[in-house]
């Protein structure tokens, strides 16, 4: 299993698959091929169908502003992976071709490039294996991560900083989100209503939603966010971070809890997917909710079994969630969904505290497998293509 740094990647929104992934792909091309005369980029599947709404053309044009290039959106050719890109490079009267896949969460895979793979640093690949190892060695999940990644807390301290900065920008920004939907930003209004509320429970819930909205709106505007595990679900954990601070959890504990959340996310990414184009929004927002629930449990000093239980509950009750963004924008239903699932993460963790973990009939690993199987069974229209479901309601 790879580093949990693969779960928390910093970059421009609105989509880790459509903006961060293609940006990394272009970095690979430009590093491999110098003095290029021209590049043709052919986008397939979800990258073609929702690419413009996800600002993929903006990212490519900015990256290649000094190089002659052409972007082609191929809506019809069937490909093995829904986020497939072909690069045709013209250099010194020679033509080179590269196929690259944006596999979710900002991670790319280059066809035929073994060196592109990051060496796994975790021997164990499932939560069952990790829990067994921890029991045998009397370790917490946090200690397990710290044993494998000595510098991870330094890395996550910066991730928390990025999340906080996105939260502050989002709370303060007003106006419309970019694009044809003319969606009004709501984080500022929710925040202002929250701080006026005399009911502490309603006030705190509203603040959680405000922070989730804030980061999601920054993401939708193409701002800098941290994937958690994707751009489209980047608002869930910042919303939960606000909840933890409202409960007097200090930043050191929050950073440690991010490590546990990252472990849950990497297990999902390794054994299933975090790509909405592959398995629907259950793979993005469901994974984020599962990570956030584990984060809450660690912050409140729950044991390994309770953390696993909360992660399972959150993912179990996200099964079947479709990814059908209207007009291809990461706005409706994406932003509101981040707020709802931030609260759902809190509820899942509270339920895990109330239920005996020994009575659980379904394991986290089984739910990860079920989520992946469910995603593969979803019709393509419900997997980030904007061809079915909610995406048809306001689309032109």
């Amino acid at each position: 299993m790879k580093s949990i740094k693969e779960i928390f990647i910093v970059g421009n929104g609105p989509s880790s698959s459509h903006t961060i992934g293609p940006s990394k792909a272009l970095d690979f091309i430009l590093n491999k091929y110098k003095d290029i005369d021209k590049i043709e980029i052919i986008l397939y599947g979800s990258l073609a169908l929702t690419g413009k709404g996800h600002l993929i053309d903006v990212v490519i044009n900015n990256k290649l502003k000094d190089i002659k290039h052409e972007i082609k959106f191929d809506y019809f050719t069937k490909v093995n992976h829904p986020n497939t890109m072909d690069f045709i490079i013209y250099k010194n009267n020679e033509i080179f071709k590269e196929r690259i896949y944006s596999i979710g969460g900002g991670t790319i895979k280059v066809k035929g490039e073994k060196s592109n793979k990051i060496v796994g640093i975790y021997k164990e690949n499932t939560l069952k294996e990790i829990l067994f190892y921890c029991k045998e060695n009397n370790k917490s999940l946090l200690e397990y991560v710290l044993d494998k990644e000595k510098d991870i807390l330094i890395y996550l301290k910066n991730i928390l900083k990025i999340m906080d900065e996105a939260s502050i920008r989002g709370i303060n920004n007003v106006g419309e989100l970019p694009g044809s939907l003319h969606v009004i930003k709501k984080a500022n209004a929710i925040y202002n209503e929250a701080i006026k509320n005399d009911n502490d429970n309603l006030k705190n819930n509203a603040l959680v939603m405000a922070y989730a909205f804030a980061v999601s709106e920054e993401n939708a505007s193409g701002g800098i966010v941290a994937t958690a595990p994707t751009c489209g679900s980047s608002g869930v954990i910042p919303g939960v971070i606000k909840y933890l601070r409202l409960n007097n959890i200090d930043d050191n504990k929050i950073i440690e809890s991010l490590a546990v959340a990252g472990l849950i996310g990497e297990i999902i990414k390794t054994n299933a997917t975090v790509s909405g184009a592959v398995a629907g929004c259950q793979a993005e927002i469901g994974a984020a909710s599962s990570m956030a629930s584990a984060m809450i449990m660690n912050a409140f000093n729950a044991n390994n079994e309770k953390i696993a239980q909360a992660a399972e509950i959150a993912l179990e009750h996200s099964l079947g969630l479709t990814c059908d963004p209207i007009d291809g924008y990461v706005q409706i239903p994406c932003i509101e969904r981040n707020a709802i699932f931030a609260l759902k993460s809190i509820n899942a963790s509270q339920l895990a505290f109330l239920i005996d973990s020994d009575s659980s009939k379904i394991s986290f690993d089984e739910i990860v497998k079920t989520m992946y199987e469910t995603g593969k069974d979803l019709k393509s229209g419900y997997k980030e293509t904007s061809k079915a479901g909610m995406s048809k309601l306001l689309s032109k």
Side-chain angles (χ1 to χ4, degrees):
M1 199 163 69
K2 298 177 183 178
S3 168
I4 65 172
K5 293 176 184 177
E6 289 284 290
I7 293 298
F8 299 109
I9 297 173
V10 177
N12 289 89
S15 167
S16 41
S17 294
H18 292 64
T19 51
I20 298 177
S23 180
K24 285 188 174 182
L26 286 168
D27 286 338
F28 170 83
I29 297 295
L30 296 175
N31 285 328
K32 185 172 181 178
Y33 301 96
K34 308 295 183 183
D35 302 318
I36 295 170
D37 298 318
K38 180 185 174 182
I39 303 179
E40 289 180 13
I41 303 101
I42 306 173
L43 306 170
Y44 304 95
S46 175
L47 296 182
L49 290 163
T50 64
K52 289 187 178 180
H54 285 63
L55 307 183
I56 193 169
D57 51 333
V58 175
V59 169
I60 293 172
N61 288 331
N62 287 341
K63 203 83 173 182
L64 299 178
K65 59 184 177 182
D66 298 322
I67 298 174
K68 187 177 181 183
H69 62 278
E70 182 181 2
I71 307 170
K72 297 180 179 179
F73 294 87
D74 186 332
Y75 305 107
F76 305 107
T77 301
K78 292 185 177 180
V79 286
N80 292 329
H81 194 284
N83 289 333
T84 298
M85 302 168 272
D86 279 341
F87 297 85
I88 304 171
I89 301 102
Y90 299 86
K91 175 182 174 180
N92 298 328
N93 296 318
E94 290 187 90
I95 300 175
F96 306 90
K97 295 182 180 181
E98 298 279 358
R99 173 161 282 193
I100 302 180
Y101 311 98
S102 184
I103 62 173
T107 303
I108 62 169
K109 181 179 179 181
V110 183
K111 185 177 181 179
E113 274 286 331
K114 293 182 180 179
S115 62
N116 186 59
K117 293 182 179 179
I118 299 173
V119 177
I121 62 174
Y122 293 90
K123 180 182 177 182
E124 294 76 23
N125 288 312
T126 66
L127 188 53
K128 181 180 179 180
E129 293 171 348
I130 294 169
L131 289 172
F132 179 79
Y133 174 90
C134 289
K135 186 174 182 179
E136 290 291 299
N137 293 277
N138 194 29
K139 290 183 180 293
S140 68
L141 290 174
L142 173 63
E143 290 169 335
Y144 171 78
V145 173
L146 296 182
D147 283 349
K148 304 294 183 180
E149 302 196 61
K150 307 295 185 185
D151 65 338
I152 194 62
L153 295 184
I154 296 172
Y155 181 86
L156 292 176
K157 182 177 181 180
N158 183 60
I159 293 298
L160 179 60
K161 178 175 176 286
I162 295 297
M163 289 179 172
D164 285 343
E165 289 172 348
S167 297
I168 292 168
R169 291 196 309 271
I171 290 292
N172 290 324
N173 285 340
V174 295
E176 280 190 3
L177 293 171
S180 61
L181 297 179
H182 302 290
V183 174
I184 301 296
K185 295 178 181 180
K186 300 177 179 66
N188 179 268
I190 296 171
Y191 177 82
N192 287 331
E193 285 299 315
I195 59 177
K196 292 188 294 185
N197 202 308
D198 293 329
N199 184 307
D200 286 343
N201 186 52
L202 293 176
K203 178 179 181 177
N204 290 348
N205 283 349
L207 286 170
V208 168
M209 290 192 287
Y211 277 72
F213 259 88
V215 175
S216 298
E217 287 175 352
E218 278 297 293
N219 175 66
S221 301
I224 297 291
V225 298
T227 63
T230 66
C231 283
S233 61
S234 60
V236 174
I237 282 182
V240 165
I241 288 171
K242 183 61 179 177
Y243 167 77
L244 294 177
R245 286 176 171 152
L246 288 168
N247 282 275
N248 301 312
I249 304 297
D250 66 38
D251 281 4
N252 288 332
K253 190 70 172 182
I254 288 172
I255 291 167
E256 291 175 349
S257 300
L258 277 172
V260 176
L263 179 65
I264 294 299
E266 187 57 36
I267 294 169
I268 296 171
K269 192 170 184 177
T270 298
N271 295 288
T273 182
V274 295
S275 170
V278 174
C281 199
Q282 57 172 358
E284 294 195 44
I285 210 78
S289 183
S290 185
M291 290 167 59
S293 297
M295 181 180 179
I296 293 168
M297 298 300 280
N298 185 80
F300 287 106
N301 300 313
N303 62 31
N304 293 349
E305 287 69 29
K306 282 292 181 184
I307 293 172
Q309 184 182 17
E312 185 279 325
I313 290 170
L315 189 58
E316 175 185 339
H317 297 291
S318 305
L319 292 180
L321 198 61
T322 60
C323 182
D324 39 5
I326 294 175
D327 263 11
Y329 292 105
V330 190
Q331 297 178 13
I332 304 173
C334 319
I335 295 171
E336 194 171 290
R337 189 169 284 174
N338 273 260
I340 295 298
F341 275 77
L343 293 176
K344 187 172 183 177
S345 303
I346 297 167
N347 291 338
S349 65
Q350 290 173 341
L351 185 58
F353 273 121
L354 295 171
I355 299 175
D356 182 4
S357 57
D358 291 336
S359 67
S360 296
K361 302 294 185 183
I362 302 169
S363 73
F364 174 78
D365 294 314
E366 289 172 326
I367 284 301
V368 171
K369 181 180 178 182
T370 301
M371 183 272 284
Y372 196 33
E373 291 173 345
T374 302
K376 288 188 288 187
D377 286 341
L378 285 175
K379 291 182 178 180
S380 62
Y382 297 98
K383 295 191 284 187
E384 207 172 18
T385 59
S386 288
K387 294 175 70 177
M390 280 190 67
S391 61
K392 296 169 65 176
L393 298 181
L394 295 176
S395 59
K396 296 176 182 178

